[in-house]
């Protein structure tokens, strides 16, 4: 099993599509046998699913994540544990112990939103009117 965590200075980075690093944990017989930080090399959003797949990742722990990235991860066969915050190592240990507190409906705050107060979409027009 390989677990990826969106990573920044020991903590779970809260926006999947903008993460610059993942900490990748190799798990054998229910315990971490190796961990290393991988730079995304500028990949973002949907491209990150392919990046993780190429590393052999089958599980992702992250904070917020948009619906498009969730779909890309599902298509790549990567299990998602979203809505998690705090220390990356502790989150992985909690997952392995079956005690990880996660949100199966986690979303990035700026996705799936309504624009109001005369503001337009600030996401390159990719909101599809939402």
């Amino acid at each position: 099993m390989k677990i990826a965590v969106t990573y920044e200075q020991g903590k779970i980075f809260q926006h999947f599509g903008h993460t610059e690093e993942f900490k990748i944990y190799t798990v054998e017989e229910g315990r971490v046998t190796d961990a290393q930080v991988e730079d995304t090399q500028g990949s973002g959003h949907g491209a990150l699913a392919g990046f993780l797949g190429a590393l052999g990742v089958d599980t992702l722990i992250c904070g917020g994540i948009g619906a498009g990235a969730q779909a890309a991860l599902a298509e790549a066969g990567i299990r998602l544990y979203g809505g998690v915050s705090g220390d990356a190592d502790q989150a992985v240990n909690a997952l392995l112990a079956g005690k990880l507190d996660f949100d199966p409906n986690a979303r990035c705050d700026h996705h799936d939103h309504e624009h109001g107060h005369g503001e337009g979409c600030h996401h390159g027009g990719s909101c599809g009117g939402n």
Side-chain angles (χ1 to χ4, degrees), residues 23-39:
K23 190 165 183 183
I24 310 294
Y25 301 79
T26 301
V27 177
E28 295 174 8
E29 298 180 12
R31 62 183 188 83
V32 175
T33 59
D34 185 51
Q36 54 189 294
V37 176
E38 296 283 342
D39 190 298

Side-chain angles (χ1 to χ4, degrees), residues 11 14 18-19 23 29 37 48 51 59 64 70 75 77 84 86 91-92 102 105 117-118 120-121 127:
K11 303 286 183 197
Q14 291 302 299
H18 289 191
T19 192
K23 190 165 183 183
E29 298 180 12
V37 176
L48 291 173
F51 175 83
T59 304
Q70 287 183 358
E75 189 172 308
V84 182
V92 169
F102 69 100
N105 299 309
H117 310 290
C121 179
C127 290

Side-chain angles (χ1 to χ4, degrees), residues 19-89:
T19 192
E20 294 181 6
E21 296 179 324
F22 287 99
K23 190 165 183 183
I24 310 294
Y25 301 79
T26 301
V27 177
E28 295 174 8
E29 298 180 12
R31 62 183 188 83
V32 175
T33 59
D34 185 51
Q36 54 189 294
V37 176
E38 296 283 342
D39 190 298
T40 64
Q41 306 294 322
S43 297
H45 290 94
L48 291 173
F51 175 83
L52 293 173
L55 293 173
V57 168
D58 54 34
T59 304
L60 170 69
I61 298 172
C62 68
I65 183 167
Q70 287 183 358
L73 290 167
E75 189 172 308
I78 298 173
R79 286 184 301 276
L80 172 64
Y81 296 89
V84 182
S85 61
D87 182 84
D89 294 346

